[in-house]
Amino acid sequence: MSLTKSIDNLRSTSKNEKLFESKINRRKFLTDSLLYSVLGMSGGLLSIGSLSGQGMPSAKPLLSGLPLRGNYLIKNAHIITMDDQIGDFPNGDLHLNNGIIKAVGENINAEAAEIIEAKGMIVIPGFIETHWHMWNSIFRSMAVDDPGEGYFDTRTEIGGHFTPDDMYNGNLLSVTEALFSGITTVHDWNHNIRSLEHAEYSIKAIKDAGIRARFSFGNPVGLDDEEPVMFGPLEHLADNWQDYSNEGLIALGFAWRGIEGNIKVGEAELNKVRSMGLPVTVHASSAGIIGRLAYAGLLGPDMLIVHGMQATGQEIESMVKAGAPISLSPFSELRIGYGFPEVPELVRAGATIGLSVDTTVLSGNSDMFAIMKNILNITNALEQDEFKLSPRQVLEMATIDGARSMGIADITGSISPGKRADITMVDGTAINMQPMTDAVNLLVEAAQPANVHSVWADGRLLKHKGNLTHLSVEEVGRKATRSYKEIIKKSK
């Protein structure tokens, strides 16, 4: 791979605004705008593909369209609601109808509902993933141990070779794996947006999977610190978001570079996106970053901090006081050598903590069960206290606190009547879950993605009896492999 050549090419290209411009020519744009007006008046929908000069990826990975939001009555399950006002039901029922949690409790009757017998199953809110560079999942476990070929070098080397179709394939691989792990909400922290089409194709993959998400628009990897993000594509997305959001399941955010490079450029970018009303996420991967953000008066409840490595007690206090939540990625933080996440201090300070896959280039997979177990063990080891952090506290991070950190706790994160039906059902009869001792403890310390029996996202049954209902896993894998091989060829 020629790392220097790749970076030089990117920098020279990035100085030209065409790097970030849509391929829409003026005539095509005007035609599409007229079509949008006509469809808008007639109640029709404008496809994402009509907004760009390229067609969207083929639907080959789709076995069928997204399932309808059904009417389901889950019977006789061990239900862990993560709602303190409701509590848990060791032998409970759950009614989901048209995407809404209608009722949870015992002996529920629901007329015309499809009965799902769940004896021996554990039902929980779908996991909330809070920070994931989904596009580069194609290069799973490719941060090798040779100098110059670690994560950041690999990411920068391959990023410039990604076509919009590769972005689709990377994101689709990620969201497909997420569903297998029981994740119903993801945060696509996308730092490889090289054109409007790169963004559109990334969003299309999330839409095809039917999962809830935040799509955070970022600069392409390798962009010089002196060069600001070109906001044309982001403004286009924001102005037309209803055409991208999959009926509100996908929210728009901004993946901010922070002020570690050019402070003036960083602050200008932050002011711009805040004026647009977009939530912001920023990495704090080394000591002092949170302190500098606090000193500059830039922290706020709209800013999700990632990692928070080596954060001091004063920095954590400033973050919590400002209302800024934090996302922890224990597998990547350990793997890359950042150190241990500051979980004990964060818990003591009352921080809102969400959990993150980060990147499977480092973490290997998106196993939320393993992430929870890792957080539990790291915290208790650092504190030299077997009981410092409880499994229920960690499960809160993966569900309701994750939702709070993403600003969507009124929508999802707990099994509460009126919230959207994002539900994961785990097979408690599996051999690694036997005997059924304490359900919460088993979820955090024993469960695996292979135990995820069923997944509902916004009331759609997307996984049932261990299989996806709408995506061809084989085709998703083939497309990801094809992109991987093509990018490797370009990088040589």
Side-chain angles (χ1 to χ4, degrees), residues 152 284-287 306-311 327-346 358 362 374-375 377-379 381-382:
F152 291 106
S285 306
S286 57
V306 178
H307 303 311
M309 305 310 298
Q310 292 97 50
S327 172
L328 302 180
S329 315
F331 276 106
S332 62
E333 290 156 1
L334 294 175
R335 170 67 175 79
I336 205 168
Y338 284 159
F340 295 100
E342 306 290 343
V343 187
E345 290 78 7
L346 290 165
D358 194 351
L362 283 169
N374 208 347
I375 285 286
N377 292 345
I378 286 172
T379 305
L382 289 172

Side-chain angles (χ1 to χ4, degrees), residues 107-413:
N107 301 315
I108 295 174
N109 293 314
E111 186 177 349
E114 177 182 345
I115 303 297
I116 295 183
E117 175 54 50
K119 186 175 179 59
M121 301 289 173
I122 304 172
V123 173
I124 59 174
F127 291 132
I128 312 291
E129 192 285 324
T130 59
H131 156 252
W132 189 351
H133 308 299
M134 295 167 62
W135 63 275
N136 59 31
S137 290
I138 289 173
F139 280 73
R140 186 191 307 274
S141 298
M142 282 293 287
V144 295
D145 54 5
D146 293 332
E149 294 295 335
Y151 170 67
F152 291 106
D153 293 328
T154 300
R155 181 199 67 177
T156 303
E157 173 68 34
I158 64 175
H161 299 296
F162 268 65
T163 66
D165 196 58
D166 296 327
M167 299 294 287
Y168 176 86
N169 293 340
N171 269 26
L172 191 68
L173 177 65
S174 296
V175 288
T176 301
E177 185 179 356
L179 288 172
F180 272 97
S181 189
I183 296 170
T184 56
T185 299
V186 296
H187 180 189
D188 181 17
W189 208 95
N190 199 316
H191 54 2
N192 200 35
I193 304 300
R194 299 171 179 276
S195 69
L196 176 59
E197 285 77 16
H198 281 72
E200 288 180 331
Y201 279 48
S202 300
I203 296 166
K204 179 66 163 56
I206 298 170
K207 184 176 181 180
D208 282 350
I211 204 166
R212 193 177 304 279
R214 178 190 295 175
F215 172 79
S216 284
F217 181 104
N219 59 285
V221 291
L223 186 69
D224 193 279
D225 290 336
E226 303 295 320
E227 298 178 70
V229 170
M230 299 296 180
F231 280 98
L234 178 59
E235 290 172 333
H236 175 85
L237 291 174
D239 290 343
N240 299 279
W241 191 244
Q242 64 180 352
D243 301 316
Y244 296 91
S245 71
N246 196 19
E247 299 179 336
L249 262 71
I250 309 173
L252 181 62
F254 185 65
W256 186 41
R257 289 181 291 176
I259 56 174
E260 296 311 291
N262 186 305
I263 295 177
K264 290 183 178 179
V265 171
E267 286 198 40
E269 290 176 351
L270 181 62
N271 291 334
K272 169 70 174 179
V273 296
R274 278 181 162 165
S275 72
M276 298 170 68
L278 298 179
V280 178
T281 311
V282 63
H283 291 96
S285 306
S286 57
I289 294 179
I290 296 175
R292 286 191 282 275
L293 292 171
Y295 181 78
L298 300 177
L299 293 172
D302 64 338
M303 183 180 291
L304 176 62
I305 306 295
V306 178
H307 303 311
M309 305 310 298
Q310 292 97 50
T312 65
Q314 185 176 356
E315 286 180 303
I316 292 173
E317 183 180 343
S318 297
M319 183 189 77
V320 172
K321 185 177 180 180
I326 191 165
S327 172
L328 302 180
S329 315
F331 276 106
S332 62
E333 290 156 1
L334 294 175
R335 170 67 175 79
I336 205 168
Y338 284 159
F340 295 100
E342 306 290 343
V343 187
E345 290 78 7
L346 290 165
V347 171
R348 275 192 287 268
T352 300
I353 303 171
L355 302 181
S356 154
V357 171
D358 194 351
T359 170
T360 59
V361 179
L362 283 169
S363 67
N365 59 38
S366 63
D367 182 351
M368 187 61 78
F369 299 102
I371 291 172
M372 291 192 294
K373 185 174 183 176
N374 208 347
I375 285 286
L376 177 70
N377 292 345
I378 286 172
T379 305
N380 292 349
L382 289 172
E383 293 291 282
Q384 297 184 350
D385 183 347
E386 182 181 357
F387 307 108
K388 186 63 182 180
L389 197 63
S390 72
R392 186 171 286 270
Q393 286 176 288
V394 180
L395 186 59
E396 287 173 350
M397 295 176 191
T399 55
I400 186 60
D401 280 348
R404 290 182 180 121
S405 73
M406 297 283 285
I408 55 174
D410 59 331
I411 298 172
T412 189

Side-chain angles (χ1 to χ4, degrees), residues 6-23:
S6 177
I7 296 176
D8 289 344
N9 287 344
L10 175 59
R11 286 176 176 169
S12 63
T13 307
S14 67
K15 293 178 181 178
N16 188 333
E17 289 193 9
K18 289 184 179 179
L19 173 63
F20 294 93
E21 289 175 354
S22 167
K23 297 178 181 178

Side-chain angles (χ1 to χ4, degrees), residues 39-66:
L39 290 174
M41 289 185 291
S42 65
L45 295 175
L46 179 66
S47 69
I48 294 178
S50 67
L51 294 173
S52 66
Q54 291 182 312
M56 295 307 290
S58 70
K60 284 184 179 181
L62 297 176
L63 295 171
S64 61
L66 285 175

Side-chain angles (χ1 to χ4, degrees), residues 6 26 60 89 104-105 120 208 255 287 320 416 418 433 479:
S6 177
R26 180 169 177 77
K60 284 184 179 181
F89 299 91
V104 58
D208 282 350
V320 172
S416 309
M433 300 288 284
K479 289 173 74 66

